Amino acid sequence: MSNVNLPKDPHDNASEQLIPLLWIRRGIGLLGIFFPFVLALGNYYLFDCQIILPTISDYFRTKMITIFVAMLSMISIFLWTYRGPEGEDKVWATLASVFCVGVALFPNNVKEVVKQCNGFSTYELDNLHHICAVGMFLITAYFCLFLFVKTKPENNPTEELKRLKRNRNIVYKICGYTIIVTIVLMFIYLRLDTKDTYTTGFPYIFWGETICLLAFGISWITKSNWFIFGDKQAK
């Protein structure tokens, strides 16, 4: 069978793929942004949980477990299918996909406050859970700071396109540094929280994780050329 009509690069026919590249990026971004809010609001309105749980991961132990696993699985699938403009993108996206599945498969430790809010106990793999969660966020920060900011002169032939690319790079860097700084602050908070307000007070970790996911989502949406300094020529 002749391969004369096959594209030399997987992105040569991106607009004809089953799931176009730009919509894979948009799917990753939208799922990341909505993930914490769907869990918290769903648990509040559907299952009458009047509090925000200490971490996003705690919703695995509530009646929102199906939504928790489903959304993480969807993010993982999108990351797994993502190719990117260079081979390095695919490698890191695949690793992030594995970490994303790990977050869903390896639950964190159960907390008393979760048991009081339609929660239930299952097996616990806390260390693996945290490794996967931190690993996924760090890979996203790497995408923002090193992969998304790459520029090919032939892709931005006009001054207007160069300006849009510079603006997008600013967004990527803000998102990347936001993720790194937030992870460091959450780590410091947990180390200094000797009175265990982590499980009884204001849900700092939940909101820290939410900030990371917002930065995660915004960076991928920006890369999708949607509406944040988007290049209207991209399809």
Side-chain angles (χ1 to χ4, degrees):
M1 179 178 179
S2 173
N3 61 356
V4 67
N5 294 322
L6 296 179
K8 295 180 180 180
D9 183 270
H11 298 278
D12 290 346
N13 67 338
S15 63
E16 299 176 359
Q17 294 177 16
L18 181 61
I19 304 178
L21 177 64
L22 296 184
W23 277 104
I24 291 177
R25 292 169 175 164
R26 292 167 187 174
I28 294 171
L30 289 173
L31 286 167
I33 288 173
F34 285 112
F35 184 51
F37 301 105
V38 168
L39 293 175
L41 293 175
N43 213 34
Y44 180 88
Y45 287 107
L46 298 179
F47 304 113
D48 198 30
C49 179
Q50 302 297 315
I51 61 173
I52 295 177
L53 300 183
T55 73
I56 293 174
S57 300
D58 291 326
Y59 286 91
F60 176 87
R61 302 184 180 282
T62 71
K63 295 177 181 178
M64 292 297 292
I65 181 174
T66 302
I67 302 299
F68 181 94
V69 174
M71 293 188 74
L72 281 179
S73 298
M74 291 173 66
I75 294 174
S76 178
I77 291 171
F78 277 128
L79 286 169
W80 185 269
T81 59
Y82 180 73
R83 296 180 182 180
E86 299 181 13
E88 184 181 2
D89 298 60
K90 174 60 178 174
V91 172
W92 287 107
T94 300
L95 183 57
S97 173
V98 173
F99 280 141
C100 189
V101 171
V103 172
L105 293 182
F106 308 137
N108 61 337
N109 291 338
V110 64
K111 304 176 183 67
E112 288 300 322
V113 66
V114 181
K115 293 180 180 178
Q116 299 168 13
C117 193
N118 66 62
F120 54 89
S121 297
T122 62
Y123 63 99
E124 299 177 0
L125 292 167
D126 199 54
N127 290 334
L128 285 175
H129 176 86
H130 290 133
I131 289 172
C132 289
V134 173
M136 188 181 73
F137 281 133
L138 289 179
I139 290 175
T140 296
Y142 182 79
F143 264 100
C144 293
L145 299 176
F146 298 101
L147 298 182
F148 287 167
V149 296
K150 289 183 177 180
T151 301
K152 291 183 178 180
E154 62 270 22
N155 292 341
N156 302 291
T158 67
E159 287 302 318
E160 175 63 13
L161 294 180
K162 291 177 181 177
R163 182 187 67 81
L164 290 172
K165 176 58 178 173
R166 287 194 296 269
N167 288 338
R168 290 197 297 272
N169 284 351
I170 292 174
V171 175
Y172 300 143
K173 291 178 180 179
I174 291 174
C175 290
Y177 287 123
T178 295
I179 291 172
I180 292 174
V181 170
T182 304
I183 289 174
V184 171
L185 290 176
M186 287 191 292
F187 177 78
I188 293 173
Y189 169 71
L190 291 174
R191 296 292 293 179
L192 296 179
D193 186 26
T194 56
K195 296 183 179 179
D196 198 30
T197 57
Y198 160 57
T199 59
T200 59
F202 184 82
Y204 289 104
I205 300 301
F206 174 93
W207 288 113
E209 292 171 330
T210 298
I211 290 172
C212 286
L213 284 169
L214 288 174
F216 168 93
I218 290 171
S219 67
W220 281 92
I221 285 177
T222 303
K223 187 62 178 176
S224 75
N225 280 293
W226 202 354
F227 56 86
I228 303 177
F229 302 117
D231 172 9
K232 298 184 184 301
Q233 296 179 11
K235 301 298 182 181

